[in-house]
Amino acid sequence: MRVLIIEDDQRLARLMTRVLEEEHFSVDAAHDGDAGLELALRTAYDVAIIDWMLPRRDGPAICRAIRAARMPTALLLLTARGQVEDRVAGLDSGADDYLTKPFAFEELLARVRALGRRFSVTAGDSFELRCGDLVLDLRARTARRGAQALDLTATEWNLLECLMRHPGQALSRQQLLDYVWSYERDVQASMVDVYISYLRRKLNLPGQADPIQTVRSVGYRLEVGNV
């Protein structure tokens, strides 16, 4: 797996590099936002670890630029910010996961491995997920329903991806939490309900059945016949 670290604390960057290389990852590092973005747009990394506070360009701005360029890199945002609104802002900028400083290197490795598994595509796999007229492009991280592009936040996209990987299957709120919010232990199950409501507003077409069905006492299911 190829990993990019964008971190202005050079000591921390060296430590992360050593830990990742000991696990046989190939690692590049940059120490300011502009240099990091240049590397991210020039090379197809599997995972980029991006600090929030950086000289020249901050982490969320880098995430937005990488997503705008349709790079397939999974993005892990590092920050000392711990408030819920900060996490939401970071994820909505395009980050796929979030790790609060200080952190244990074991947790960093676990998150990088999880992102690598989640975004890896083997030679026989398609780069698209399709359910009815819903299409997710896994490399470009875009979504559409029929010919209509869907303007989804990173969290909404991840939630739809999880549902589309299990069409017709009832998924519990905990399963959706584990997939979308990964290792964020303090995220409540009610967050799933909030983002399902956001997603429904963007997916539902006038006069058609809701593609996301509520399964009482369980969670939610993507109803293939309704897309």
Side-chain angles (χ1 to χ4, degrees), residues 31-35 53-58 61-62:
H31 305 301
D32 68 67
D34 284 351
M53 297 298 293
L54 289 163
R56 300 185 182 176
R57 190 187 301 255
D58 66 18
I62 294 171

Side-chain angles (χ1 to χ4, degrees), residues 159 189-199 201 220:
L159 183 57
S190 58
M191 186 70 78
V192 173
D193 302 324
V194 170
Y195 274 88
I196 285 286
S197 69
Y198 295 160
L199 192 54
R201 292 175 199 167
Y220 298 95

Side-chain angles (χ1 to χ4, degrees), residues 40-110:
L41 297 181
R42 193 173 65 206
T43 307
Y45 291 98
D46 297 290
V47 178
I49 303 168
I50 307 169
D51 189 30
W52 186 304
M53 297 298 293
L54 289 163
R56 300 185 182 176
R57 190 187 301 255
D58 66 18
I62 294 171
C63 291
R64 287 190 292 270
I66 292 172
R67 289 293 169 244
R70 298 189 174 184
M71 299 298 290
T73 307
L75 307 179
L76 173 60
L77 195 59
L78 302 179
T79 179
R81 299 167 180 256
Q83 298 300 315
V84 172
E85 55 269 26
D86 293 324
R87 293 199 298 270
V88 170
L91 293 169
D92 283 349
S93 72
D96 300 293
D97 201 359
Y98 191 103
L99 185 57
T100 303
K101 295 179 177 180
F103 53 82
F105 286 118
E106 292 83 357
E107 184 175 7
L108 174 71
L109 285 170

Side-chain angles (χ1 to χ4, degrees), residues 1-219:
M1 194 188 307
R2 191 161 192 181
V3 178
L4 172 64
I5 296 171
I6 310 176
E7 168 62 68
D8 63 329
D9 182 335
Q10 296 191 29
R11 178 178 176 277
L12 178 58
R14 285 194 299 271
L15 287 171
M16 287 193 290
T17 297
R18 186 177 70 190
V19 168
L20 289 164
E21 288 181 340
E22 286 174 353
E23 296 296 315
H24 309 294
F25 296 124
S26 174
V27 184
D28 294 326
H31 305 301
D32 68 67
D34 284 351
L37 180 59
E38 181 181 352
L39 280 175
L41 297 181
R42 193 173 65 206
T43 307
Y45 291 98
D46 297 290
V47 178
I49 303 168
I50 307 169
D51 189 30
W52 186 304
M53 297 298 293
L54 289 163
R56 300 185 182 176
R57 190 187 301 255
D58 66 18
I62 294 171
C63 291
R64 287 190 292 270
I66 292 172
R67 289 293 169 244
R70 298 189 174 184
M71 299 298 290
T73 307
L75 307 179
L76 173 60
L77 195 59
L78 302 179
T79 179
R81 299 167 180 256
Q83 298 300 315
V84 172
E85 55 269 26
D86 293 324
R87 293 199 298 270
V88 170
L91 293 169
D92 283 349
S93 72
D96 300 293
D97 201 359
Y98 191 103
L99 185 57
T100 303
K101 295 179 177 180
F103 53 82
F105 286 118
E106 292 83 357
E107 184 175 7
L108 174 71
L109 285 170
R111 289 179 184 245
V112 169
R113 285 193 293 262
L115 286 170
R117 289 193 300 270
R118 183 167 155 192
F119 287 89
S120 66
V121 181
T122 61
D125 288 337
S126 169
F127 287 106
E128 287 187 341
L129 287 179
R130 290 178 176 267
C131 292
D133 63 355
L134 275 175
V135 180
L136 285 187
D137 186 318
L138 301 177
R139 286 191 294 184
R141 288 186 61 82
T142 58
R144 69 179 189 273
R145 185 165 189 189
Q148 178 66 45
L150 300 174
D151 183 17
L152 304 181
T153 66
T155 302
E156 292 164 354
W157 196 97
N158 293 338
L159 183 57
L160 181 57
E161 179 196 9
C162 187
L163 291 167
M164 289 180 66
R165 287 190 182 277
H166 305 87
Q169 179 180 336
L171 299 176
S172 70
R173 288 174 176 81
Q174 189 59 52
Q175 286 176 301
L176 294 168
L177 276 175
D178 290 344
Y179 189 90
V180 178
W181 284 271
S182 191
Y183 295 90
E184 291 190 60
R185 302 181 187 87
D186 57 343
V187 175
Q188 302 299 311
S190 58
M191 186 70 78
V192 173
D193 302 324
V194 170
Y195 274 88
I196 285 286
S197 69
Y198 295 160
L199 192 54
R200 278 172 163 159
R201 292 175 199 167
K202 296 182 179 182
L203 293 182
N204 290 354
L205 298 176
Q208 294 193 13
D210 189 343
I212 301 176
Q213 298 295 300
T214 301
V215 182
R216 189 180 297 276
S217 301
V218 179

